[in-house]
Amino acid sequence: MNETGGLKRPITGVIKWFDAARGFGFLSVVEGEGCDVLLHANVLRNFGQSSVADGSRVELIAQETSRGLQAVEVLSIEPSTTSAMPPIADLSGAATEDVERLPLLPARVKWFDKAKGFGFATVFGQKGDIFLHIEVLRHGGFADLTVGEAIAIRIVDGRRGLMAAQILTWDRVIESERSPQSAANVPLLLKPRLVAGVL
């Protein structure tokens, strides 16, 4: 036990709902207890995200408090995927394998409007904006983005310019640079761009 509450234990569950504006949400425990776990925005931010999409599978460390179980650390988030690619026209012909071969690039959110369903990001060290679609965001396990938030993106040439085909947490860039298949050392102009589903 510690000074702030009961024993800490690992829990796996599914996000029932998360409201970034209110600063919290709830996770339904997958096995056993049938109770909900409070997930505060600060705990999520410590993991590197400002939001999480409903239905995402989350592994975390929870602690018993006087008000019930509360998340104290997020260990992993797996987006709820009902399809291989987000349901938007620019990506309809893209194969998941082709998109995953594209390099993960570190970027910052310039702005994102959840109500409008889109926003823009900039890739570190490059000029120009990258379009962010809310369906791609949800497919990556996010519900919303904040200005200045660090993310990892895979970019394609869409019908109206460069857009994110995949949005992940920023730490995925570091993981991809450590992998032997990393494209990090290839100059950006030589990196493949997926155009309407074809490399």
Side-chain angles (χ1 to χ4, degrees), residues 71-83:
V72 293
E73 181 182 2
V74 174
L75 303 173
S76 70
I77 297 175
E78 294 177 31
S80 170
T81 53
T82 54
S83 62

Side-chain angles (χ1 to χ4, degrees), residues 39-155:
L39 176 60
H40 194 273
N42 288 336
V43 175
L44 193 57
R45 275 192 289 274
N46 288 339
F47 180 71
Q49 287 186 212
S50 63
S51 67
V52 62
D54 297 350
S56 295
R57 186 178 181 88
V58 179
E59 289 183 40
L60 52 79
I61 302 294
Q63 182 173 11
E64 187 68 46
T65 68
S66 61
R67 293 184 171 184
L69 285 173
Q70 182 171 334
V72 293
E73 181 182 2
V74 174
L75 303 173
S76 70
I77 297 175
E78 294 177 31
S80 170
T81 53
T82 54
S83 62
M85 292 300 295
I88 57 175
D90 288 313
L91 299 175
S92 62
T96 304
E97 304 81 38
D98 292 338
V99 171
E100 289 177 352
R101 280 197 298 257
L102 296 171
L104 271 175
L105 302 172
R108 288 244 183 238
V109 176
K110 192 172 184 179
W111 66 268
F112 189 84
D113 187 327
K114 185 176 178 180
K116 291 181 180 178
F118 69 93
F120 291 91
T122 55
V123 174
F124 292 121
Q126 297 181 31
K127 294 181 180 179
D129 294 339
I130 309 300
F131 179 75
L132 305 174
H133 193 283
I134 195 157
E135 290 302 325
V136 175
L137 188 71
R138 288 182 183 140
H139 204 265
F142 294 88
D144 201 355
L145 294 171
T146 59
V147 173
E149 186 169 351
I151 55 175
I153 57 178
R154 288 191 165 104
I155 302 170

Side-chain angles (χ1 to χ4, degrees), residues 6 12 19 45 47 55 68 74 121 139 145 179 186 191 193:
T12 300
D19 187 336
R45 275 192 289 274
F47 180 71
V74 174
H139 204 265
L145 294 171
S179 75
V186 179
K191 290 183 180 176
R193 296 280 191 229

Side-chain angles (χ1 to χ4, degrees), residues 184-195:
N185 295 327
V186 179
L188 184 61
L189 295 175
L190 300 178
K191 290 183 180 176
R193 296 280 191 229
L194 190 64
V195 180

